Amino acid sequence: MEEKDVVYLERKDNGIAVIYLNQPRKKNAISAVMMDKLSGFLTELDRDKDVRVILLRGAGENFSTGGDLSQGGPDMTIEDSRNLLKRYVAAVRTIRQIGRPVIAVTDGYVVGGAVSLVLACDLVIASEKTVFIPNFCAIGIIPEMGIMAMLPQLVGPQRAKDILFFGRRFGAKEGCDMGIVNQVVSREELEEKALEYAAGLSAISANSVSIVKGIMNGAADPMLNAVMEAESTASPFCTRTREYKEMAARFSKK
């Protein structure tokens, strides 16, 4: 069997392309290298006139359990951390800025920065087994990858603060009720329904969809870009505090 890269691409019928986050043994923990490759594929597909819709999903039974904790090390400086985070931020910006619509296809765990990645997408179809866990404050860091801009826009500021302060976990049905998820299906139907959903979008005028996406994201994203720029400094600061080290030690024992 051919070994696939940490992110790989499959082309389907009806102008549909599927990008897979492919670290199933790590539950698709997202690394900077993974985000670089994701940005590259998105840019490539946006230039391909035969592609009309992009699906983003995780290989295996989970979308992603968030940041890959094996990155970095004790010698990493704040500047190193900031540069690393900017590579994650670039993937969010690419999703938001390309003309092709991106549909997140979620299953299993969607944790931390993976929640931000899903919110950056244009539409979301989730299996009933999906669990969203935005657990940033719980480990002593701030929410990252633009979630502090995108989540309040979807659910309102008060609910967003409650979710982010406490790291509230919620399932696909609750996500749908809050306006985060567009469709909830069974795990067994996820593949079929996601392709059906994408095919329906592919049948609509590509120019119309692209222009609508551009106008809506263009109106919303000045705040998103400002938040991500601030995060790039604030989050590395948090990881150098005594409180973070104590909380991370406790969290690692759970």
Side-chain angles (χ1 to χ4, degrees), residues 33-51:
V33 170
M34 183 183 279
M35 294 298 94
D36 292 343
K37 291 179 181 293
L38 172 59
S39 295
F41 276 131
L42 289 166
T43 301
E44 173 190 329
L45 293 171
D46 196 43
R47 294 171 179 161
D48 187 337
K49 61 181 175 52
D50 294 325
V51 174

PDB file of all heavy atoms in Angstrom, residues 33-51:
ATOM      1  N   VAL A  33       4.028  21.760   9.796  1.00  0.00           N
ATOM      2  CA  VAL A  33       4.263  21.162   8.478  1.00  0.00           C
ATOM      3  C   VAL A  33       2.936  20.781   7.828  1.00  0.00           C
ATOM      4  O   VAL A  33       2.723  21.013   6.624  1.00  0.00           O
ATOM      5  CB  VAL A  33       5.184  19.923   8.595  1.00  0.00           C
ATOM      6  CG1 VAL A  33       5.230  19.151   7.284  1.00  0.00           C
ATOM      7  CG2 VAL A  33       6.587  20.345   9.014  1.00  0.00           C
ATOM      8  N   MET A  34       2.036  20.205   8.609  1.00  0.00           N
ATOM      9  CA  MET A  34       0.716  19.845   8.098  1.00  0.00           C
ATOM     10  C   MET A  34      -0.023  21.081   7.590  1.00  0.00           C
ATOM     11  O   MET A  34      -0.642  21.067   6.519  1.00  0.00           O
ATOM     12  CB  MET A  34      -0.091  19.141   9.191  1.00  0.00           C
ATOM     13  CG  MET A  34      -1.461  18.650   8.748  1.00  0.00           C
ATOM     14  SD  MET A  34      -2.389  17.917  10.122  1.00  0.00           S
ATOM     15  CE  MET A  34      -1.686  16.280  10.174  1.00  0.00           C
ATOM     16  N   MET A  35       0.052  22.180   8.344  1.00  0.00           N
ATOM     17  CA  MET A  35      -0.632  23.406   7.942  1.00  0.00           C
ATOM     18  C   MET A  35       0.002  24.015   6.697  1.00  0.00           C
ATOM     19  O   MET A  35      -0.696  24.575   5.845  1.00  0.00           O
ATOM     20  CB  MET A  35      -0.640  24.410   9.090  1.00  0.00           C
ATOM     21  CG  MET A  35      -1.471  23.984  10.296  1.00  0.00           C
ATOM     22  SD  MET A  35      -3.254  23.766   9.936  1.00  0.00           S
ATOM     23  CE  MET A  35      -3.336  21.994   9.577  1.00  0.00           C
ATOM     24  N   ASP A  36       1.327  23.912   6.558  1.00  0.00           N
ATOM     25  CA  ASP A  36       1.993  24.376   5.337  1.00  0.00           C
ATOM     26  C   ASP A  36       1.470  23.616   4.126  1.00  0.00           C
ATOM     27  O   ASP A  36       1.172  24.199   3.077  1.00  0.00           O
ATOM     28  CB  ASP A  36       3.503  24.166   5.429  1.00  0.00           C
ATOM     29  CG  ASP A  36       4.176  25.055   6.460  1.00  0.00           C
ATOM     30  OD1 ASP A  36       3.573  26.061   6.890  1.00  0.00           O
ATOM     31  OD2 ASP A  36       5.321  24.728   6.849  1.00  0.00           O
ATOM     32  N   LYS A  37       1.382  22.295   4.268  1.00  0.00           N
ATOM     33  CA  LYS A  37       0.927  21.463   3.149  1.00  0.00           C
ATOM     34  C   LYS A  37      -0.544  21.720   2.843  1.00  0.00           C
ATOM     35  O   LYS A  37      -0.950  21.727   1.665  1.00  0.00           O
ATOM     36  CB  LYS A  37       1.158  19.981   3.466  1.00  0.00           C
ATOM     37  CG  LYS A  37       2.639  19.591   3.491  1.00  0.00           C
ATOM     38  CD  LYS A  37       2.834  18.128   3.819  1.00  0.00           C
ATOM     39  CE  LYS A  37       4.321  17.769   3.854  1.00  0.00           C
ATOM     40  NZ  LYS A  37       4.952  17.855   2.525  1.00  0.00           N
ATOM     41  N   LEU A  38      -1.351  21.935   3.882  1.00  0.00           N
ATOM     42  CA  LEU A  38      -2.765  22.253   3.672  1.00  0.00           C
ATOM     43  C   LEU A  38      -2.895  23.548   2.877  1.00  0.00           C
ATOM     44  O   LEU A  38      -3.657  23.613   1.896  1.00  0.00           O
ATOM     45  CB  LEU A  38      -3.471  22.383   5.023  1.00  0.00           C
ATOM     46  CG  LEU A  38      -4.921  22.893   4.979  1.00  0.00           C
ATOM     47  CD1 LEU A  38      -5.798  21.979   4.142  1.00  0.00           C
ATOM     48  CD2 LEU A  38      -5.474  23.029   6.395  1.00  0.00           C
ATOM     49  N   SER A  39      -2.143  24.577   3.278  1.00  0.00           N
ATOM     50  CA  SER A  39      -2.188  25.857   2.551  1.00  0.00           C
ATOM     51  C   SER A  39      -1.789  25.666   1.092  1.00  0.00           C
ATOM     52  O   SER A  39      -2.408  26.241   0.183  1.00  0.00           O
ATOM     53  CB  SER A  39      -1.256  26.872   3.208  1.00  0.00           C
ATOM     54  OG  SER A  39      -1.696  27.210   4.509  1.00  0.00           O
ATOM     55  N   GLY A  40      -0.768  24.839   0.866  1.00  0.00           N
ATOM     56  CA  GLY A  40      -0.309  24.589  -0.495  1.00  0.00           C
ATOM     57  C   GLY A  40      -1.361  23.918  -1.356  1.00  0.00           C
ATOM     58  O   GLY A  40      -1.597  24.321  -2.511  1.00  0.00           O
ATOM     59  N   PHE A  41      -2.010  22.889  -0.821  1.00  0.00           N
ATOM     60  CA  PHE A  41      -3.062  22.197  -1.564  1.00  0.00           C
ATOM     61  C   PHE A  41      -4.239  23.125  -1.858  1.00  0.00           C
ATOM     62  O   PHE A  41      -4.800  23.108  -2.962  1.00  0.00           O
ATOM     63  CB  PHE A  41      -3.552  20.968  -0.803  1.00  0.00           C
ATOM     64  CG  PHE A  41      -2.711  19.738  -1.005  1.00  0.00           C
ATOM     65  CD1 PHE A  41      -2.277  18.981   0.080  1.00  0.00           C
ATOM     66  CD2 PHE A  41      -2.360  19.305  -2.274  1.00  0.00           C
ATOM     67  CE1 PHE A  41      -1.508  17.844  -0.096  1.00  0.00           C
ATOM     68  CE2 PHE A  41      -1.597  18.158  -2.463  1.00  0.00           C
ATOM     69  CZ  PHE A  41      -1.167  17.439  -1.365  1.00  0.00           C
ATOM     70  N   LEU A  42      -4.645  23.913  -0.868  1.00  0.00           N
ATOM     71  CA  LEU A  42      -5.772  24.828  -1.064  1.00  0.00           C
ATOM     72  C   LEU A  42      -5.478  25.823  -2.182  1.00  0.00           C
ATOM     73  O   LEU A  42      -6.332  26.088  -3.036  1.00  0.00           O
ATOM     74  CB  LEU A  42      -6.068  25.573   0.237  1.00  0.00           C
ATOM     75  CG  LEU A  42      -6.677  24.743   1.369  1.00  0.00           C
ATOM     76  CD1 LEU A  42      -6.605  25.507   2.698  1.00  0.00           C
ATOM     77  CD2 LEU A  42      -8.128  24.371   1.058  1.00  0.00           C
ATOM     78  N   THR A  43      -4.273  26.368  -2.174  1.00  0.00           N
ATOM     79  CA  THR A  43      -3.877  27.327  -3.210  1.00  0.00           C
ATOM     80  C   THR A  43      -3.851  26.667  -4.583  1.00  0.00           C
ATOM     81  O   THR A  43      -4.325  27.235  -5.584  1.00  0.00           O
ATOM     82  CB  THR A  43      -2.504  27.928  -2.878  1.00  0.00           C
ATOM     83  OG1 THR A  43      -2.563  28.579  -1.593  1.00  0.00           O
ATOM     84  CG2 THR A  43      -2.088  28.943  -3.921  1.00  0.00           C
ATOM     85  N   GLU A  44      -3.305  25.450  -4.635  1.00  0.00           N
ATOM     86  CA  GLU A  44      -3.247  24.703  -5.898  1.00  0.00           C
ATOM     87  C   GLU A  44      -4.645  24.445  -6.447  1.00  0.00           C
ATOM     88  O   GLU A  44      -4.918  24.641  -7.645  1.00  0.00           O
ATOM     89  CB  GLU A  44      -2.521  23.372  -5.661  1.00  0.00           C
ATOM     90  CG  GLU A  44      -2.526  22.408  -6.829  1.00  0.00           C
ATOM     91  CD  GLU A  44      -1.999  21.031  -6.444  1.00  0.00           C
ATOM     92  OE1 GLU A  44      -1.128  20.935  -5.553  1.00  0.00           O
ATOM     93  OE2 GLU A  44      -2.468  20.038  -7.032  1.00  0.00           O
ATOM     94  N   LEU A  45      -5.555  23.997  -5.589  1.00  0.00           N
ATOM     95  CA  LEU A  45      -6.908  23.668  -6.031  1.00  0.00           C
ATOM     96  C   LEU A  45      -7.686  24.910  -6.442  1.00  0.00           C
ATOM     97  O   LEU A  45      -8.531  24.855  -7.344  1.00  0.00           O
ATOM     98  CB  LEU A  45      -7.654  22.930  -4.908  1.00  0.00           C
ATOM     99  CG  LEU A  45      -7.112  21.532  -4.580  1.00  0.00           C
ATOM    100  CD1 LEU A  45      -7.775  20.990  -3.321  1.00  0.00           C
ATOM    101  CD2 LEU A  45      -7.327  20.569  -5.751  1.00  0.00           C
ATOM    102  N   ASP A  46      -7.407  26.027  -5.792  1.00  0.00           N
ATOM    103  CA  ASP A  46      -8.108  27.262  -6.137  1.00  0.00           C
ATOM    104  C   ASP A  46      -7.751  27.727  -7.541  1.00  0.00           C
ATOM    105  O   ASP A  46      -8.532  28.430  -8.185  1.00  0.00           O
ATOM    106  CB  ASP A  46      -7.768  28.352  -5.109  1.00  0.00           C
ATOM    107  CG  ASP A  46      -8.725  29.530  -5.166  1.00  0.00           C
ATOM    108  OD1 ASP A  46      -9.950  29.289  -5.274  1.00  0.00           O
ATOM    109  OD2 ASP A  46      -8.258  30.686  -5.115  1.00  0.00           O
ATOM    110  N   ARG A  47      -6.578  27.323  -8.024  1.00  0.00           N
ATOM    111  CA  ARG A  47      -6.132  27.706  -9.368  1.00  0.00           C
ATOM    112  C   ARG A  47      -6.588  26.715 -10.440  1.00  0.00           C
ATOM    113  O   ARG A  47      -6.398  26.955 -11.637  1.00  0.00           O
ATOM    114  CB  ARG A  47      -4.607  27.813  -9.400  1.00  0.00           C
ATOM    115  CG  ARG A  47      -4.059  28.947  -8.535  1.00  0.00           C
ATOM    116  CD  ARG A  47      -2.559  28.856  -8.435  1.00  0.00           C
ATOM    117  NE  ARG A  47      -1.988  29.947  -7.637  1.00  0.00           N
ATOM    118  CZ  ARG A  47      -0.788  29.940  -7.093  1.00  0.00           C
ATOM    119  NH1 ARG A  47      -0.005  28.876  -7.259  1.00  0.00           N
ATOM    120  NH2 ARG A  47      -0.350  30.966  -6.390  1.00  0.00           N
ATOM    121  N   ASP A  48      -7.151  25.604 -10.004  1.00  0.00           N
ATOM    122  CA  ASP A  48      -7.551  24.533 -10.923  1.00  0.00           C
ATOM    123  C   ASP A  48      -8.986  24.771 -11.388  1.00  0.00           C
ATOM    124  O   ASP A  48      -9.926  24.680 -10.598  1.00  0.00           O
ATOM    125  CB  ASP A  48      -7.431  23.181 -10.213  1.00  0.00           C
ATOM    126  CG  ASP A  48      -7.653  22.008 -11.143  1.00  0.00           C
ATOM    127  OD1 ASP A  48      -8.300  22.184 -12.198  1.00  0.00           O
ATOM    128  OD2 ASP A  48      -7.189  20.894 -10.806  1.00  0.00           O
ATOM    129  N   LYS A  49      -9.168  25.069 -12.665  1.00  0.00           N
ATOM    130  CA  LYS A  49     -10.505  25.395 -13.169  1.00  0.00           C
ATOM    131  C   LYS A  49     -11.464  24.214 -13.102  1.00  0.00           C
ATOM    132  O   LYS A  49     -12.690  24.405 -13.181  1.00  0.00           O
ATOM    133  CB  LYS A  49     -10.417  25.917 -14.604  1.00  0.00           C
ATOM    134  CG  LYS A  49      -9.823  24.937 -15.596  1.00  0.00           C
ATOM    135  CD  LYS A  49      -9.755  25.542 -16.980  1.00  0.00           C
ATOM    136  CE  LYS A  49      -9.059  24.628 -17.992  1.00  0.00           C
ATOM    137  NZ  LYS A  49      -9.582  23.259 -18.043  1.00  0.00           N
ATOM    138  N   ASP A  50     -10.946  22.998 -12.953  1.00  0.00           N
ATOM    139  CA  ASP A  50     -11.813  21.824 -12.888  1.00  0.00           C
ATOM    140  C   ASP A  50     -12.352  21.567 -11.473  1.00  0.00           C
ATOM    141  O   ASP A  50     -13.252  20.746 -11.290  1.00  0.00           O
ATOM    142  CB  ASP A  50     -11.069  20.582 -13.368  1.00  0.00           C
ATOM    143  CG  ASP A  50     -10.718  20.661 -14.848  1.00  0.00           C
ATOM    144  OD1 ASP A  50     -11.533  21.224 -15.608  1.00  0.00           O
ATOM    145  OD2 ASP A  50      -9.631  20.178 -15.224  1.00  0.00           O
ATOM    146  N   VAL A  51     -11.787  22.237 -10.485  1.00  0.00           N
ATOM    147  CA  VAL A  51     -12.222  22.046  -9.093  1.00  0.00           C
ATOM    148  C   VAL A  51     -13.251  23.112  -8.728  1.00  0.00           C
ATOM    149  O   VAL A  51     -13.038  24.299  -8.955  1.00  0.00           O
ATOM    150  CB  VAL A  51     -11.022  22.115  -8.122  1.00  0.00           C
ATOM    151  CG1 VAL A  51     -11.495  22.074  -6.673  1.00  0.00           C
ATOM    152  CG2 VAL A  51     -10.054  20.982  -8.405  1.00  0.00           C
TER     153      VAL A  51
END
